[in-house]
Amino acid sequence: MKFYRLIFLLIVIIAGWNNASAQVTDEVKFPPKGKNDTIKVAGTNVGGEMIPWIPLHEVAIYGVRIFKSPAERAAYNRLRYNVMKVMPYALFAKRRYEQLERDIATTTNKREQKKLIKACDAEIKQMFNKEIKELTITQGKILTKLVDRELGRTTFDIVKQTKGGLTAFVYQSVARVVGHNLKSTYDPQEDKDIEAIIASSGFYR
């Protein structure tokens, strides 16, 4: 009885191996080429037939916003203009301070770290003297929010980390006089209009 079971098991194994070999050696059918088919694309074997495919970029679809009044439309357009004006500065600050953190991480020498911070401050100040000082109070407020959005830290925290608590306090005091708050944070729900503008702006494409 055991002998017949062994024979049956061997038959099953051999049949399974033959099927597997047949599947491996089966010829894969490729789609016919046209005279202009010169671009190589990826392909997936589906039941012995090679199906070509190409990855596509994500497509974001946005609804058309309906405004309750011309005044509401005008307010939104002003907000969009201001966001588009200051967003490049927030992205620049993000890239520059991320680079600063990477540079500081490469050395434990305090003097060298101070040099790196000073160089970063000089670059930021150069941009400030050329362009940012021309921003309106409203644009400045939006910028401080966007810095928090991009870096996950308020402008006050960044100044405190790089320049010390006393300098951060002085900067905050001056900012408050002209209507700014370096401790402003970004809330995607509270600032949903800004978030919608950024999402449809193309800054991250």
Side-chain angles (χ1 to χ4, degrees), residues 111-128:
R111 181 176 295 180
E112 185 63 27
Q113 289 179 349
K114 287 182 179 180
K115 286 182 180 179
L116 293 171
I117 293 172
K118 187 175 181 180
C120 180
D121 284 344
E123 193 170 339
I124 296 293
K125 286 178 181 178
Q126 183 180 10
M127 184 181 68
F128 177 87

Side-chain angles (χ1 to χ4, degrees), residues 121-140:
D121 284 344
E123 193 170 339
I124 296 293
K125 286 178 181 178
Q126 183 180 10
M127 184 181 68
F128 177 87
N129 291 330
K130 286 184 177 180
E131 302 180 51
I132 295 181
K133 68 177 182 180
E134 303 296 334
L135 298 180
T136 65
I137 291 176
T138 299
Q139 290 168 351

Side-chain angles (χ1 to χ4, degrees), residues 11-26:
I11 292 173
V12 170
I13 292 174
I14 293 172
W17 182 82
N18 287 334
N19 288 336
S21 299
Q23 291 176 3
V24 172
T25 57
D26 282 344

Side-chain angles (χ1 to χ4, degrees), residues 32-163:
K33 287 185 178 181
K35 63 179 182 178
N36 296 322
D37 289 341
T38 58
I39 301 175
K40 292 184 178 181
V41 298
T44 300
N45 186 349
V46 179
E49 183 175 358
M50 190 63 67
I51 306 299
W53 57 270
I54 57 173
L56 299 176
H57 293 292
E58 179 181 354
V59 177
I61 300 175
Y62 305 97
V64 177
R65 178 161 181 168
I66 306 300
F67 297 95
K68 296 179 181 178
S69 65
E72 185 178 290
R73 178 188 293 274
Y76 181 83
N77 288 338
R78 285 196 302 271
L79 177 63
R80 180 176 178 80
Y81 172 82
N82 290 331
V83 171
M84 298 296 285
K85 175 79 173 179
V86 302
M87 187 62 182
Y89 302 135
L91 293 175
F92 173 82
K94 176 183 180 179
R95 291 191 296 268
R96 190 60 188 88
Y97 279 109
E98 285 178 346
Q99 181 62 50
L100 174 62
E101 290 181 341
R102 289 193 293 268
D103 293 341
I104 289 177
T106 62
T107 178
T108 57
N109 187 294
K110 297 298 183 182
R111 181 176 295 180
E112 185 63 27
Q113 289 179 349
K114 287 182 179 180
K115 286 182 180 179
L116 293 171
I117 293 172
K118 187 175 181 180
C120 180
D121 284 344
E123 193 170 339
I124 296 293
K125 286 178 181 178
Q126 183 180 10
M127 184 181 68
F128 177 87
N129 291 330
K130 286 184 177 180
E131 302 180 51
I132 295 181
K133 68 177 182 180
E134 303 296 334
L135 298 180
T136 65
I137 291 176
T138 299
Q139 290 168 351
K141 289 179 179 179
I142 295 173
L143 178 58
T144 55
K145 282 178 173 286
L146 294 182
V147 167
D148 180 63
R149 179 186 187 275
E150 296 302 317
L151 290 169
R153 291 175 294 170
T154 65
T155 305
F156 180 87
D157 291 334
I158 294 172
V159 175
K160 184 178 179 180
Q161 179 184 3
T162 57
K163 304 292 288 184

